[in-house]
Amino acid sequence: MDDQMRKNVDGKLGGKIKGQVLLADSPDYHEVRKIWNAMIDRHPAVIVRCADAGDVAPAIAFARENGLELSIRGAGHSIAGNSICNGGLMIDFSMMRRVQVDAGKRRAYVEPGATLRDFDGAAQAHRLATPVGINSTTGIAGLTLGGGFGWLTRRYGMTIDNLVSAEVVTADGKRKTASQTENEDLFWAIRGGGGNFGAVTRFEFELHPFGPEILAGLLVYPFEQAKQVLTQYRQFVQSAPEDLNVWALFRKAPPLPFLPESVHGKEIVAMPVFYAGDIDSGRKLIEPLRGFGTPYGEHIGPIPYVQWQQAFDALLTPGARNYWKSHNFTELSDAAIDVAIDYAARLPGEQCEIFFGLVAGAANRVPPDAMAYHYRDLKIVLNVHGRWTDAADDNRMIQWAREFFKASAPYASGGAYVNFMTEEETGRVAAAYGPNYEKLARIKAKYDPDNIFHLNQNIKPGR
Ligand SMILES: Cc1cc2nc3c(=O)[nH]c(=O)nc-3n(C[C@H](O)[C@H](O)[C@H](O)COP(=O)(O)OP(=O)(O)OC[C@H]3O[C@@H](n4cnc5c(N)ncnc54)[C@H](O)[C@@H]3O)c2cc1C
């Protein structure tokens, strides 16, 4: 950074920020610039660590006045790495993690640096919950703005279906409320439109009475039985009640204590099971799953919901290299199952995964034009997850993920989920919104005509 910029930071920015302003030689700079995906290694010129919503407008103004590219970091789980810029200004919300719950009103008021763990913990203290993702380290902000789905989605819809209002600082530095009654167009756009429309400084969610104990766990089958297991899975989930969620995934077996040692490291089919009703009914409902094959083992039982929300964290810790790709499915054809099995037989690393996540349910009952997120016919999300630690493996891992993505494309139903897209998929952004894209482009032109919020799956200002 040149001396002039340093003077500008000291003189024009520093005094206006209650939180911290970090430069490359600040003690915490390197810690704060790290994000979850270790493939992304960027160096912002300035990091503004906001203490409250009042810090956002001066940060935006400073970036604009100095021609600095702007990025926004919630909890830094963007696969594409969009939360961090090179040589620009990063607004970092990691010091704003408060979650306030009004149990009487069943509402949560959430700051944008909160993780799912922060959110679930605060809501469950009152036996309340709303659907969020399946790893507790993920940020509520990025997850919500792109859509958000997890174990409770079948029952209560996507995270955005439970958003009541948001406070947004737009490109002009003004703080606006977005809801069904105020700035309705902005509210429509932020529910799926990502970080394109401004910096969200507060989310208000509807909460549902839930927990604290659920029935959940994992069933593991031999990979050789994959076809019969997946075919029966497809049939089973078509009529399974929405309180029950079952996903299906391929990976190499981690050293789980309930699996024989001889299975560790081998390809397996695993089925995470989640039941949101009473434990005994759940036990009966999941009984048929055991007959899908001859399971290597299982670990299913009553567990606190918050604990289940953290159950997969150990497999997805920060600091590894990650390359994800994803397709939407309205139905799982034989060909889709076959191609997944084919690539699962060639998993290039022990942390790589292919999963089918079941979404069908409440989310399908929202009209496709009700908000920015369009694909309301989505039943199953496929994610191919390349994950490894050594940079020397980059090409091999990425190639496997890309090839599988391409091979499975003919059987997918179209569209995309912006939260699972990589940096290079800008060509898919319009497809991710389908017929909602044009309206989004018009709203973008109204709230961010200069496209200063462009480090995201970018929607260009249109007419
Ligand atoms: C381990 C892991 C598990 C996941 N599991 C799920 C899952 O179960 N379900 C699911 O739906 N998704 C899941 N995802 C995807 C996840 O939803 C996205 O990665 C999401 O972007 C993460 O949000 P974040 O705040 O942590 O990310 P960040 O990297 O901080 O932000 C991502 C982007 O969101 C925007 N943004 C963030 N905060 C703000 C803000 N306050 N105002 C405006 N824009 C903002 C910015 O454009 C930013 O680039 C998972 C991702 C990971 C890495």
Side-chain angles (χ1 to χ4, degrees):
M1 166 176 288
D2 61 28
D3 288 348
Q4 186 54 45
M5 179 67 84
R6 192 174 284 273
K7 265 193 211 147
N8 283 347
V9 170
D10 289 343
K12 294 194 179 154
L13 185 63
K16 294 182 185 153
I17 300 293
K18 273 203 231 155
Q20 299 169 358
V21 178
L22 306 183
L23 303 177
D25 53 2
S26 306
D28 292 338
Y29 173 85
H30 289 288
E31 199 44 45
V32 178
R33 77 175 182 85
K34 259 192 225 155
I35 62 166
W36 181 83
N37 185 357
M39 287 189 82
I40 316 292
D41 181 22
R42 297 191 189 133
H43 295 75
V46 188
I47 300 175
V48 175
R49 301 193 80 191
C50 300
D52 61 29
D55 283 350
V56 175
I60 294 174
F62 186 83
R64 296 193 78 141
E65 282 155 19
N66 292 279
L68 295 172
E69 190 173 37
L70 193 62
S71 72
I72 305 178
R73 184 190 193 281
H77 277 45
S78 159
I79 314 297
N82 283 329
S83 27
I84 187 154
C85 50
N86 250 337
L89 185 148
M90 176 167 87
I91 292 177
D92 168 50
F93 283 122
S94 60
M95 297 202 314
M96 290 176 61
R97 290 175 59 168
R98 233 168 355 139
V99 179
Q100 285 172 294
V101 173
D102 184 331
K105 284 193 185 156
R106 293 189 190 156
R107 292 283 190 269
Y109 305 93
V110 185
E111 288 189 336
T115 62
L116 306 190
R117 182 185 292 231
D118 299 328
F119 178 81
D120 287 330
Q124 277 292 278
H126 302 275
R127 299 189 174 205
L128 296 168
T130 222
V132 290
I134 70 156
N135 282 104
S136 80
T137 56
T138 312
I140 196 90
L143 177 120
T144 303
L145 294 169
F149 65 85
W151 303 116
L152 278 174
T153 291
R154 297 203 70 206
R155 181 163 167 175
Y156 294 123
M158 297 181 73
T159 310
I160 37 175
D161 301 335
N162 295 275
L163 186 66
V164 178
S165 74
E167 193 179 87
V168 189
V169 181
T170 44
D172 55 9
K174 298 211 169 96
R175 211 189 291 182
K176 300 184 171 73
T177 299
S179 71
Q180 293 289 9
T181 52
E182 279 179 84
N183 299 301
E184 298 94 309
D185 54 354
L186 184 59
F187 188 52
W188 185 90
I190 60 167
R191 285 175 293 161
N196 273 286
F197 303 92
V200 177
T201 50
R202 191 177 85 145
F203 297 87
E204 177 187 359
F205 291 103
E206 182 182 3
L207 299 170
H208 309 272
F210 187 73
E213 200 165 66
I214 53 154
L215 181 77
L218 205 60
L219 265 161
V220 177
Y221 310 87
F223 182 69
E224 296 69 36
Q225 297 174 359
K227 183 70 189 266
Q228 74 184 68
V229 170
L230 264 288
T231 315
Q232 290 176 90
Y233 166 79
R234 171 178 64 191
Q235 178 98 25
F236 178 83
V237 297
Q238 265 168 18
S239 56
E242 290 175 5
D243 279 349
L244 180 64
N245 202 341
V246 186
W247 290 17
L249 64 92
F250 301 105
R251 62 169 294 129
K252 291 182 196 260
L256 296 167
F258 66 89
L259 292 178
E261 244 177 68
S262 56
V263 173
H264 298 173
K266 272 179 137 176
E267 286 83 5
I268 50 160
V269 187
M271 272 188 195
V273 174
F274 172 93
Y275 185 62
D278 80 274
I279 307 284
D280 286 338
S281 314
R283 285 193 206 279
K284 283 192 202 102
L285 270 169
I286 63 168
E287 193 48 48
L289 300 180
R290 299 191 176 95
F292 289 4
T294 320
Y296 276 139
E298 68 167 76
H299 185 77
I300 298 177
I303 177 174
Y305 172 66
V306 280
Q307 206 174 314
W308 178 247
Q309 283 290 86
Q310 297 163 24
F312 296 93
D313 289 358
L315 294 176
L316 289 169
T317 48
R321 306 176 79 75
N322 289 271
Y323 184 87
W324 294 15
K325 283 182 108 54
S326 140
H327 284 303
N328 289 344
F329 286 84
T330 49
E331 60 178 349
L332 216 47
S333 65
D334 282 341
I337 293 175
D338 287 343
V339 75
I341 293 173
D342 181 19
Y343 278 82
R346 293 181 270 139
L347 289 166
E350 61 189 29
Q351 300 188 65
C352 297
E353 223 176 72
I354 291 173
F355 79 69
F356 293 106
L358 186 64
V359 177
N364 301 137
R365 293 189 283 276
V366 177
D369 60 355
M371 57 188 84
Y373 182 86
H374 168 73
Y375 288 96
R376 294 302 182 161
D377 56 354
L378 171 70
K379 298 279 164 59
I380 286 184
V381 177
L382 164 78
N383 191 9
V384 49
H385 186 174
R387 181 176 161 90
W388 64 101
T389 43
D390 187 348
D393 288 330
D394 284 4
N395 286 343
R396 193 167 59 86
M397 300 287 174
I398 292 173
Q399 196 183 346
W400 169 79
R402 280 188 185 149
E403 281 177 9
F404 171 56
F405 173 77
K406 203 170 154 204
S408 50
Y411 317 112
S413 48
Y417 179 40
V418 288
N419 276 348
F420 282 173
M421 275 159 55
T422 54
E423 211 181 350
E424 78 221 1
E425 290 187 283
T426 47
R428 276 184 103 195
V429 177
Y433 296 107
N436 287 347
Y437 188 81
E438 273 183 34
K439 180 171 173 184
L440 277 165
R442 284 198 301 276
I443 300 173
K444 174 78 172 176
K446 176 174 169 188
Y447 289 100
D448 183 19
D450 302 324
N451 201 9
I452 65 158
F453 298 107
H454 62 256
L455 267 178
N456 40 47
Q457 299 299 351
N458 195 226
I459 295 161
K460 308 268 184 306
R463 284 188 298 143

